[in-house]
Amino acid sequence: MAIEVTSEFLEQLNEYIAQNKDAAIKKLFDEVHYADIAEILDEVSFDDAIYIIKLLNSEKTSEILTELDEDIREKILENLSAQEIADEIGEMDTDDAADIIGELSDERQERVINALDDEELAADIKELLSYQDNTAGALMAKELVKVYETWTVAGCMRRIRGQAKDVTRVHSIYVVDKEDKLVGRLSLKDLIIAKSDQQIADILKDNVDAVNVNEDDEEVAKIMAKYDLEAIPVVDDNNVLLGRITIDDIVDVLKEEADKDYQLAAGLTQDVDSDDSILQLTKARLPWLFLGLIGGIGAFIIMEGFQGVFEKYASLFFFTPLIAAMAGNVGVQSSAIIVQGLANNDVKGSINSRLLKEMFLAALNGFILALFLFLFVWIYEGSINTGLAISVSLVAVIIVAGLIGTFVPLFLNKRGIDPAIATGPFITTSNDIFGILIYFLIAKLILGI
Amino acid sequence: MAIEVTSEFLEQLNEYIAQNKDAAIKKLFDEVHYADIAEILDEVSFDDAIYIIKLLNSEKTSEILTELDEDIREKILENLSAQEIADEIGEMDTDDAADIIGELSDERQERVINALDDEELAADIKELLSYQDNTAGALMAKELVKVYETWTVAGCMRRIRGQAKDVTRVHSIYVVDKEDKLVGRLSLKDLIIAKSDQQIADILKDNVDAVNVNEDDEEVAKIMAKYDLEAIPVVDDNNVLLGRITIDDIVDVLKEEADKDYQLAAGLTQDVDSDDSILQLTKARLPWLFLGLIGGIGAFIIMEGFQGVFEKYASLFFFTPLIAAMAGNVGVQSSAIIVQGLANNDVKGSINSRLLKEMFLAALNGFILALFLFLFVWIYEGSINTGLAISVSLVAVIIVAGLIGTFVPLFLNKRGIDPAIATGPFITTSNDIFGILIYFLIAKLILGI
């Protein structure tokens, strides 16, 4: 079904562009979905992208603009006049319009909004821009179908015909009282199966879920996912209906959230993708690597302190990468389970009971791994003592690493800090240092050095 | 809006259960959303959960069952008779019904399906069970609103009133020809704003997206997310309409996919959550830890081979945790960027150009970090030679780690293997070994040992 962007298509397009065959280009894009056109514009040169955007009509290009990669959109918007941007904006849903205007400089925002023909739209966009980032207000659209509880089904149908033209998808019809306060909802289905002389107040469903305009967008996503909602109305503190959030916006929030957690776990400090410049990628990668470097220097200083042990028990030193790796792996595993549990709201019980469970778990894992390591050292080195020292310290290191991995995200979460930063390099680095220190201390104790 | 499960509520509930106050319990749950009841059942004892399930009517409990944690649902279903399960199933949408029946043993599946009153439902469920896991067929529901292209708008509305009662949400009305082949779609909005004597064939939209019943479910999720679809019809090879997939199912697929990638990156081999038993968690965690152990033993053998260097350049050994950590971190960073890029479909260009870019990037990062490390070693150890040897090898190690991290997921993806397994412990472990080997080789070369 989806049209794959073939190289033949691109060749044809380039040929038409070279020959300025505007009509042919328009025709080429006629049957192509705007999401596919956005992908094509990612592929062609920047000048060609501008050329195509200016050629196609704004009904189509407005959709394309919302789909484009942010970097490319920014460059394209720089090349359009305030009036041209206003024409595009005029075709968009209010939430997309506000998002795109929000990317412009304050001064350009002003000019684009002034260039809008539709005063109501301008007011809606200004309102949406006024809400804080990552709140329900910043996510919602003003488009919705609203009816008054006093209307009849027939009257309702008549008026909905007017409102519905502006609303891409009618999920729910929201019922308000004369002060515009939300009192219930209806589906189109309910209207269709009702009798035409019934009053809305008699057929509305009054158990309508709504979120406050200042609610956190991730919270809204959780609520919609939990209750399987496809749209949710947004109200102010007085329950006045302000807008609605649809599930496609939530899909984006969930995806962004998952991407962010994944990147934090992988040691990337900001949202990057593989096509970003080397400089952007360096900015995202270097800070965590630097942390790793500091940790490595810490491990160096600790090991230097145990230098005297080398002559008799050199193999202790050769096992430090193993100890560090195990401490890091266990820490990441336990922190990832907690971070994911917190994200899915299913971490219950006290911190202490969590730590107790993790201790048993780490002890069990540690014991199995240590047994294997003991056999290896015993057979390979021929020394029961060294084997015992290394294996016992491995168990201790794994337990401590598991406890740190469990405690840190729970602690951060209690303090209102995103626990996801506790995964990845942060845990690995601190566990490396603690692991190596514990390892040498215990091994020294057992070997009686 | 969402009812928080308060401890007062649970206390009240426990009191009523102890006193067998059935009517009071029913009343208590009257206004509670089924998703919240599912959470409450997670909290109470298993016997109480069974008691509550048997008490509430099947319209409500069927919804609760679909929301419950799989482990708990399994136990509850074991305590219900085939007839009781069939009553629950009868109230569910076909996709949920098939999912739940699919969790039963073959023999119980048979009995539950035979106990269903509704023969059409039984046939639908059998059909859905016949599709392979993780395909569009396994994800779709049979409920949809279907009209024939020859009908008029008025006739259509009349018949939709009948069909729509069974369909929780009418996203689209699908238009088929007399052989049940999909020819177009309509929204309820289109119907409402059309004139009642128009023919469906005249007002349908014929550019309807559909997916094949054997399509991979993650592919379906990508298509729906890309084209902002809220529902997509599913057809067989002859374009005959079989069912539809709605966006709430896709939200689950996306969430599962993100969770899986995250868990793979964290070194968890199977889907676990923090409430699972110690045994389940051990099964998920131990295999990757074992891999780490083998890697650590590999690193031990390499370091033992360089034992002779120790007397003159002991500090080389003290920097191995630093080298291993940097190799691991860089590898995870570069593989995560590729894995995420592949998941979002925006890794373009050849493997060679990717590797070249990563090489420059790693060289830049490596140079900055090595400069810092050189200054530390020089000042702390007072030896320019050692500093130089360690720093130069660090750059080499970082470049190799970055190349491995970039190459492995691209290679796996080309081979049709999920690239996400290349993140986490797999990359860390192999980079530890390669890193330490390269480090000692280059350092030896520079120091002329």
Side-chain angles (χ1 to χ4, degrees):
Chain A
M1 45 137 296
I3 295 169
E4 287 287 323
V5 181
T6 60
S7 49
E8 290 83 51
F9 185 97
L10 286 176
E11 246 169 59
Q12 184 73 69
L13 176 64
N14 282 327
E15 203 185 301
Y16 287 157
I17 292 176
Q19 299 165 352
N20 284 320
K21 285 190 174 169
D22 290 357
I25 298 173
K26 274 190 187 170
K27 192 153 174 280
L28 199 57
F29 281 117
D30 222 24
E31 290 286 295
V32 184
H33 191 282
Y34 59 82
D36 290 311
I37 302 182
E39 277 191 1
I40 294 168
L41 296 190
D42 281 350
E43 302 271 346
V44 301
S45 77
F46 176 62
D47 287 340
D48 289 352
I50 293 276
Y51 183 77
I52 293 167
I53 286 281
K54 294 204 177 189
L55 191 62
L56 301 178
N57 70 50
S58 60
E59 202 175 317
K60 198 151 197 165
T61 50
S62 65
E63 302 269 27
I64 298 169
L65 276 180
T66 62
E67 292 288 326
L68 273 182
D69 208 62
E70 207 177 310
D71 308 345
I72 297 173
R73 178 168 58 231
E74 194 189 318
K75 281 196 235 154
I76 288 179
L77 291 181
E78 277 168 17
N79 279 275
L80 298 182
S81 69
Q83 185 58 54
E84 280 171 322
I85 298 178
D87 291 346
E88 302 283 353
I89 294 292
E91 297 288 338
M92 291 179 192
D93 285 346
T94 46
D95 53 342
D96 294 328
D99 287 346
I100 286 180
I101 291 187
E103 290 170 14
L104 303 174
S105 67
D106 285 353
E107 184 246 355
R108 281 202 101 192
Q109 283 188 17
E110 190 74 34
R111 277 197 285 143
V112 171
I113 292 174
N114 288 336
L116 286 170
D117 297 330
D118 183 341
E119 275 177 40
E120 202 187 323
L121 178 64
D124 283 349
I125 292 174
K126 271 189 197 162
E127 181 197 332
L128 291 177
L129 285 172
S130 73
Y131 299 114
Q132 289 239 287
D133 275 357
N134 304 320
T135 62
L139 199 62
M140 73 181 187
K142 298 295 291 179
E143 288 86 0
L144 49 77
V145 178
K146 184 172 83 174
V147 299
Y148 288 89
E149 53 181 345
T150 48
W151 290 359
T152 62
V153 169
C156 201
M157 288 288 258
R158 209 167 46 238
R159 291 180 213 203
I160 283 177
R161 287 194 179 98
Q163 289 184 36
K165 276 181 189 150
D166 291 332
V167 182
T168 319
R169 283 159 187 154
V170 181
H171 289 270
S172 270
I173 299 157
Y174 299 115
V175 185
V176 293
D177 65 13
K178 59 183 188 304
E179 287 166 308
D180 272 333
K181 289 186 184 174
L182 184 67
V183 294
R185 71 185 170 88
L186 278 175
S187 68
L188 269 184
K189 200 181 87 183
D190 295 330
L191 267 190
I192 291 177
I193 58 184
K195 294 199 188 83
S196 57
D197 56 353
Q198 276 183 293
Q199 217 194 357
I200 296 301
D202 298 330
I203 60 167
L204 65 81
K205 295 181 183 119
D206 62 359
N207 61 340
V208 52
D209 291 324
V211 289
N212 186 280
V213 68
N214 296 314
E215 183 69 272
D216 184 76
D217 60 357
E218 287 175 20
E219 201 49 46
V220 178
K222 273 189 200 167
I223 291 169
M224 292 184 74
K226 177 174 172 188
Y227 298 109
D228 275 338
L229 305 176
E230 307 212 310
I232 197 164
V234 180
V235 295
D236 69 9
D237 294 337
N238 298 317
N239 206 31
V240 171
L241 181 64
L242 294 179
R244 67 156 187 177
I245 294 171
T246 51
I247 194 164
D248 52 317
D249 301 316
I250 290 305
V251 168
D252 297 338
V253 172
L254 288 173
K255 223 171 142 25
E256 265 173 41
E257 174 66 359
D259 280 3
K260 201 186 72 190
D261 283 359
Y262 189 75
Q263 298 198 325
L264 278 172
L268 300 162
T269 52
Q270 41 182 287
D271 186 33
V272 282
D273 57 64
S274 53
D275 278 328
D276 283 343
S277 73
I278 288 187
L279 201 72
Q280 281 172 303
L281 286 165
T282 298
K283 266 195 215 159
R285 291 169 61 160
L286 206 52
W288 279 128
L289 293 179
F290 202 75
L291 179 73
L293 192 76
I294 300 293
I297 289 177
F300 162 81
I301 293 172
I302 292 172
M303 284 172 77
E304 210 188 21
F306 291 95
Q307 193 161 8
V309 186
F310 193 87
E311 264 169 48
K312 226 173 148 191
Y313 295 103
S315 50
L316 282 192
F317 284 83
F318 307 152
F319 279 112
T320 45
L322 184 149
I323 297 290
M326 300 309 283
N329 287 351
V330 169
V332 169
Q333 286 181 337
S334 39
S335 64
I337 289 180
I338 296 289
V339 167
Q340 214 163 47
L342 289 170
N344 297 334
N345 257 343
D346 54 37
V347 174
K348 289 153 202 155
S350 68
I351 291 193
N352 282 342
S353 68
R354 285 278 141 198
L355 291 176
L356 201 69
K357 181 176 178 186
E358 177 64 32
M359 207 176 78
F360 279 116
L361 178 63
L364 177 64
N365 285 347
F367 181 75
I368 299 171
L369 295 164
L371 191 70
F372 186 85
L373 186 63
F374 172 75
L375 290 174
F376 171 79
V377 179
W378 185 26
I379 294 166
Y380 192 91
E381 297 268 291
S383 157
I384 291 197
N385 268 359
T386 320
L388 217 59
I390 294 174
S391 309
V392 172
S393 10
L394 179 66
V395 178
V397 166
I398 288 180
I399 291 176
V400 173
L403 293 179
I404 294 177
T406 305
F407 179 74
V408 174
L410 287 172
F411 176 77
L412 290 180
N413 189 55
K414 268 238 150 111
R415 292 271 155 146
I417 304 168
D418 183 357
I421 63 163
T423 54
F426 183 80
I427 282 289
T428 340
T429 306
S430 52
N431 278 358
D432 274 9
I433 299 182
F434 282 116
I436 290 173
L437 183 63
I438 293 166
Y439 165 68
F440 276 104
L441 285 176
I442 293 182
K444 254 186 95 167
L445 206 69
I446 292 177
L447 294 169
I449 329 167
Chain B
M1 47 137 293
I3 295 170
E4 288 287 324
V5 181
T6 60
S7 47
E8 289 84 51
F9 186 96
L10 286 176
E11 246 169 61
Q12 183 73 70
L13 178 63
N14 282 326
E15 203 184 302
Y16 287 158
I17 292 177
Q19 300 165 350
N20 283 319
K21 285 191 173 168
D22 290 359
I25 298 173
K26 273 191 187 169
K27 193 155 174 276
L28 198 59
F29 280 118
D30 222 25
E31 289 286 295
V32 184
H33 192 281
Y34 58 83
D36 290 311
I37 302 182
E39 278 191 0
I40 293 168
L41 296 189
D42 281 351
E43 301 271 346
V44 300
S45 78
F46 176 62
D47 287 338
D48 289 351
I50 294 277
Y51 184 76
I52 293 167
I53 287 281
K54 293 204 177 188
L55 191 63
L56 300 178
N57 71 50
S58 61
E59 202 175 315
K60 198 150 197 168
T61 51
S62 65
E63 302 270 26
I64 298 169
L65 276 180
T66 62
E67 291 288 326
L68 273 181
D69 209 61
E70 208 176 308
D71 308 345
I72 297 173
R73 177 167 59 230
E74 196 188 316
K75 282 198 236 153
I76 287 180
L77 291 181
E78 277 168 18
N79 280 276
L80 298 181
S81 69
Q83 185 59 54
E84 280 171 323
I85 298 178
D87 291 345
E88 303 283 353
I89 294 292
E91 297 287 337
M92 293 179 191
D93 285 346
T94 48
D95 53 344
D96 294 328
D99 286 347
I100 285 180
I101 291 187
E103 289 171 14
L104 303 174
S105 67
D106 285 354
E107 185 245 354
R108 282 202 99 192
Q109 282 187 19
E110 191 74 33
R111 278 197 285 144
V112 171
I113 292 175
N114 287 336
L116 285 170
D117 298 330
D118 183 342
E119 275 177 41
E120 203 188 321
L121 177 64
D124 282 349
I125 291 174
K126 272 189 198 162
E127 182 197 330
L128 292 177
L129 285 172
S130 74
Y131 299 115
Q132 289 238 287
D133 275 357
N134 304 321
T135 62
L139 199 62
M140 75 182 186
K142 298 294 291 178
E143 289 85 0
L144 49 76
V145 179
K146 184 172 84 173
V147 299
Y148 288 90
E149 54 181 344
T150 48
W151 291 358
T152 62
V153 168
C156 203
M157 288 286 259
R158 207 166 47 237
R159 292 181 212 205
I160 282 176
R161 287 193 180 100
Q163 290 183 38
K165 278 183 189 150
D166 292 332
V167 182
T168 319
R169 284 159 185 152
V170 181
H171 289 271
S172 269
I173 299 157
Y174 299 115
V175 185
V176 293
D177 65 12
K178 59 183 188 303
E179 289 166 307
D180 272 334
K181 289 186 184 174
L182 184 67
V183 294
R185 69 182 171 90
L186 279 175
S187 67
L188 269 184
K189 198 181 90 182
D190 295 330
L191 268 191
I192 291 177
I193 58 184
K195 293 196 190 88
S196 57
D197 57 352
Q198 276 183 295
Q199 219 193 356
I200 295 301
D202 298 329
I203 60 167
L204 66 81
K205 295 182 183 119
D206 62 359
N207 62 340
V208 52
D209 291 325
V211 290
N212 187 281
V213 68
N214 297 314
E215 183 69 270
D216 184 77
D217 60 357
E218 287 174 20
E219 201 49 46
V220 178
K222 272 189 200 166
I223 292 169
M224 291 184 73
K226 177 174 171 186
Y227 297 110
D228 275 337
L229 304 176
E230 308 212 310
I232 198 165
V234 180
V235 295
D236 68 9
D237 294 338
N238 298 317
N239 207 31
V240 170
L241 182 63
L242 295 179
R244 69 156 185 177
I245 294 170
T246 50
I247 193 163
D248 52 318
D249 301 317
I250 290 305
V251 168
D252 296 338
V253 171
L254 288 173
K255 220 166 146 26
E256 265 172 41
E257 174 67 359
D259 280 1
K260 201 185 72 190
D261 283 0
Y262 188 75
Q263 298 199 325
L264 278 172
L268 300 164
T269 53
Q270 39 181 291
D271 186 33
V272 280
D273 56 64
S274 52
D275 278 329
D276 283 344
S277 72
I278 288 188
L279 200 73
Q280 281 172 306
L281 287 164
T282 298
K283 265 194 215 159
R285 289 168 63 158
L286 205 53
W288 280 127
L289 292 180
F290 203 75
L291 179 73
L293 192 77
I294 301 292
I297 289 177
F300 163 81
I301 293 172
I302 292 171
M303 282 172 78
E304 209 188 21
F306 290 96
Q307 192 161 8
V309 185
F310 192 87
E311 263 167 53
K312 228 174 146 189
Y313 297 103
S315 51
L316 281 192
F317 284 83
F318 307 152
F319 280 112
T320 44
L322 185 148
I323 297 290
M326 300 310 282
N329 287 351
V330 169
V332 168
Q333 286 182 336
S334 39
S335 64
I337 289 179
I338 296 290
V339 167
Q340 212 162 48
L342 289 169
N344 297 335
N345 257 341
D346 54 35
V347 173
K348 289 152 201 155
S350 68
I351 290 193
N352 283 342
S353 68
R354 286 276 142 198
L355 291 176
L356 202 69
K357 182 175 176 188
E358 177 63 31
M359 208 175 78
F360 279 116
L361 178 62
L364 177 64
N365 285 348
F367 181 75
I368 299 172
L369 295 163
L371 191 70
F372 186 85
L373 185 63
F374 171 76
L375 291 173
F376 171 79
V377 178
W378 184 26
I379 294 166
Y380 192 90
E381 298 268 292
S383 157
I384 292 197
N385 267 359
T386 320
L388 217 58
I390 294 174
S391 309
V392 172
S393 7
L394 179 66
V395 177
V397 166
I398 287 180
I399 291 176
V400 173
L403 291 180
I404 294 177
T406 305
F407 178 75
V408 175
L410 286 172
F411 176 78
L412 290 179
N413 189 53
K414 267 239 150 110
R415 291 273 155 144
I417 303 168
D418 182 358
I421 62 162
T423 53
F426 184 82
I427 283 288
T428 338
T429 306
S430 53
N431 278 359
D432 273 9
I433 300 182
F434 282 116
I436 291 174
L437 183 63
I438 293 166
Y439 165 67
F440 276 104
L441 286 175
I442 293 183
K444 255 188 93 166
L445 206 72
I446 292 177
L447 294 169
I449 328 170

